[in-house]
Amino acid sequence: MITDGPLTIPVERLTNMFIDIAAEKLIIANRDSQKIAVEVKSFLSPSTLSDFHLAIGQFINYRYALEEYQPERILYLAVPAITYEEFFTTRFIQSVIQRSQINLLIFEPSKEEIVKWQS
């Protein structure tokens, strides 16, 4: 269930941060809902690596802001399935994702469906 789009986080005298989607994810094992925020990235520029650098920087800033203003929310980075398969499965990128503790939501844009959740 989507609750906000975008989720606005006021950061002191700085401009507001806008995370693409706020939602509640159903956790089937616990039959409980979990508040999440999702930053969607399309990775359309000629340099996937540059897009990745930007996405990771935004993700980390958003995560720190959420920890301060909405600590109950878990942040996910949403990436298209093709980008995940061709780029995010490389050993180095997987290492960065793991060491940076980035939660991924992999989606299929043409079907508008979530393919995988990776925490």
Side-chain angles (χ1 to χ4, degrees):
M1 175 174 65
I2 296 175
T3 57
D4 291 293
L7 173 63
T8 304
I9 303 172
V11 183
E12 297 176 19
R13 293 184 307 258
L14 301 175
T15 185
N16 290 334
M17 290 186 178
F18 299 98
I19 300 173
D20 291 332
I21 301 169
E24 292 185 12
K25 173 189 168 193
L26 183 64
I27 302 173
I28 296 170
N30 295 335
R31 300 239 185 247
D32 197 7
S33 64
Q34 177 184 63
K35 289 185 176 184
I36 66 170
V38 180
E39 179 61 17
V40 181
K41 292 296 178 197
S42 55
F43 291 85
L44 295 177
S45 83
S47 174
T48 306
L49 190 57
S50 290
D51 285 348
F52 179 70
H53 291 306
L54 179 62
I56 296 303
Q58 279 183 301
F59 183 92
I60 290 169
N61 284 326
Y62 291 166
R63 183 173 60 203
Y64 292 153
L66 280 174
E67 286 172 1
E68 189 168 331
Y69 295 100
Q70 294 190 22
E72 72 280 4
R73 279 197 196 277
I74 297 174
L75 182 61
Y76 283 83
L77 175 63
V79 300
I82 190 73
T83 303
Y84 178 79
E85 293 163 10
E86 293 178 356
F87 182 78
F88 278 76
T89 57
T90 63
R91 188 177 55 80
F92 176 74
I93 299 303
Q94 281 291 307
S95 174
V96 171
I97 295 297
Q98 182 180 20
R99 289 169 34 201
S100 301
Q101 301 176 348
I102 295 172
N103 302 310
L104 295 176
L105 182 158
I106 297 94
F107 67 97
E108 183 56 59
S110 62
K111 297 178 183 176
E112 296 183 2
E113 75 179 19
I114 297 169
V115 176
K116 179 180 180 180
W117 295 88
Q118 180 178 313
S119 297

